[in-house]
Amino acid sequence: MLRDVLGKTFRFLGYTVQYGCIAHCAFEYLGGIVVCSGPSMEPTIQNSDVVFSENLSRHFYCIRKGDIVIVKSPNDPKSNICKRVIGLEGDKVCTSNPSDFLKSHSYVPKGHVWLEGDNLRNSTDSRCYGPVPYGLIRGRICLKLWPLSDFGFLRASPNGHRFLDD
């Protein structure tokens, strides 16, 4: 009787560890579901929208300009932020706010990306904390799941004019 109970207990623990490892690998390397909060990505992503974030792009260095990414916050490592990639290493980016009369530009250093929210008037982004190390990228958002009326791939940046190609 005791042997039977111990056998079932150890089998249960073994399955729990096994499936826990599979779940960890799936969420770490494949992707997961993310609930976005805050106004910084409006109108593309609204507060409380549910999106799918795939993680393979960051592992294979396939992040491109215009992609929306989930990143560990440079200001608070316990939280994640959702921003659009405006510049990759070596790119020239506009570092000033849209309302500034004189525009200032800078180059993104090696191993970094320049991130901005689509809602430029209400976004804390690289214009505040500078270029973000590529290693802080957690995943690339590729699909909006909720609300169902907006289900599908994400639209292009409303700030496409901020992308500089010189």
Side-chain angles (χ1 to χ4, degrees), residues 13-39:
L13 287 174
Y15 287 132
T16 302
V17 169
Q18 181 180 6
Y19 292 122
C21 289
I22 291 169
H24 168 74
C25 288
F27 289 124
E28 179 65 24
Y29 296 103
L30 297 179
I33 295 171
V34 178
V35 178
C36 297
S37 63

Side-chain angles (χ1 to χ4, degrees), residues 28 53 82 85 87 113 120:
E28 179 65 24
S53 170
C82 175
V85 176
V113 293
L120 293 174

Side-chain angles (χ1 to χ4, degrees), residues 32-49:
I33 295 171
V34 178
V35 178
C36 297
S37 63
S40 71
M41 285 303 294
E42 291 177 354
T44 309
I45 297 174
Q46 305 289 328
N47 191 30
S48 300
D49 280 359

Side-chain angles (χ1 to χ4, degrees), residues 7 22 30 40 50-51 54 68 76 82 88 93 107 109 119 138:
I22 291 169
L30 297 179
S40 71
V50 179
V51 296
E54 61 85 13
I68 299 174
D76 179 14
C82 175
L88 302 169
V93 293
Y107 288 93
N119 184 355
R138 307 303 307 146

Side-chain angles (χ1 to χ4, degrees), residues 9-108:
T9 303
F10 284 124
R11 251 190 316 274
F12 175 74
L13 287 174
Y15 287 132
T16 302
V17 169
Q18 181 180 6
Y19 292 122
C21 289
I22 291 169
H24 168 74
C25 288
F27 289 124
E28 179 65 24
Y29 296 103
L30 297 179
I33 295 171
V34 178
V35 178
C36 297
S37 63
S40 71
M41 285 303 294
E42 291 177 354
T44 309
I45 297 174
Q46 305 289 328
N47 191 30
S48 300
D49 280 359
V50 179
V51 296
F52 178 76
S53 170
E54 61 85 13
N55 298 347
L56 291 174
S57 293
R58 76 177 169 114
H59 292 295
F60 293 114
Y61 295 93
C62 297
I63 302 293
R64 298 182 310 242
K65 271 196 264 188
D67 287 347
I68 299 174
V69 293
I70 301 292
V71 181
K72 284 282 183 200
S73 172
N75 294 337
D76 179 14
K78 293 180 183 174
S79 66
N80 292 321
I81 58 174
C82 175
K83 303 291 179 197
R84 190 177 298 270
V85 176
I86 301 298
L88 302 169
E89 63 181 41
D91 286 344
K92 182 180 178 182
V93 293
C94 180
T95 58
S96 57
N97 287 314
S99 59
D100 292 349
F101 179 70
L102 294 174
K103 303 295 181 201
S104 59
H105 297 87
S106 164
Y107 288 93
V108 180

